[in-house]
Amino acid sequence: MERKISPLTGWVALCVSSVFFLGFLPGKITGKPGKGGGFIGSLAAAIPMAVMFYYAVPVWIPALAALVVFFLGWLATGIGEEFMKKRWGAGQRHTGEWVVHDRNETCVDEVCGMLIAGLPAWLLYNNLAGGFLLLALSFIIFRIWDSKKLWPVGFIE
């Protein structure tokens, strides 16, 4: 039985699950919906992380942010994707397959993953150059891991 989702609840859930609709941006720019949502979600976390690192924010703040994003995403993603399915039907992924769940526009999971992947910068470096380098490296490794669905990502999905 499908649950009834009010328009307000659907749009709020979609806003959270697509990170303020940023997940739709690459598809709108390129004209190819379903491409680039993961990249933009990762970038949406990497930029604030770099700012937090620059201002020497304590490690518990990005860790808490990851936890908050995880729970908000967990609450919103299912509703947001169901809302997209009812409103627009199936969506095409970057692989070409048509799906009704795990659409590329839903990128809150990349925000959470990037927040977690970037935490070692706080733990391993106390200088800006080393920390920024590690943040950049964590972004690259996270994007490869997430896009190729290496273990455990592929197993979890």
Side-chain angles (χ1 to χ4, degrees):
M1 184 171 115
E2 288 189 20
R3 61 182 153 187
K4 183 161 173 58
I5 300 172
S6 75
L8 178 61
T9 301
W11 282 110
V12 169
L14 186 56
C15 179
V16 171
S17 65
S18 65
V19 187
F20 302 105
F21 306 107
L22 285 175
F24 290 91
L25 190 59
K28 294 295 182 190
I29 291 172
T30 64
K32 299 177 184 175
K35 289 189 81 72
F39 177 81
I40 202 82
S42 301
L43 201 57
I47 292 170
M49 286 189 82
V51 171
M52 286 189 283
F53 193 82
Y54 179 79
Y55 286 107
V57 171
V59 68
W60 66 268
I61 292 177
L64 179 63
L67 195 61
V68 169
V69 168
F70 173 81
F71 282 110
L72 286 175
W74 179 64
L75 291 171
T77 299
I79 297 168
E81 288 190 339
E82 194 170 322
F83 181 70
M84 281 193 283
K85 180 178 90 175
K86 287 180 180 178
R87 189 161 182 88
W88 298 301
Q92 192 171 16
R93 291 187 46 82
H94 62 285
T95 58
E97 67 182 310
W98 289 86
V99 295
V100 293
H101 65 87
D102 195 25
R103 293 169 67 139
N104 285 17
E105 293 84 2
T106 305
C107 59
V108 71
D109 55 328
E110 274 81 13
V111 172
C112 183
M114 185 59 219
L115 285 169
I116 292 168
L119 285 177
W122 272 264
L123 302 173
L124 299 175
Y125 286 94
N126 60 1
N127 64 54
L128 285 178
F132 283 133
L133 182 62
L134 189 55
L135 281 174
L137 187 61
S138 66
F139 178 83
I140 293 166
I141 292 171
F142 176 73
R143 287 306 314 138
I144 292 169
W145 217 274
D146 188 53
S147 64
K148 299 293 182 194
K149 304 299 182 207
L150 301 174
W151 189 89
V153 175
F155 174 75
I156 293 169
E157 285 191 352

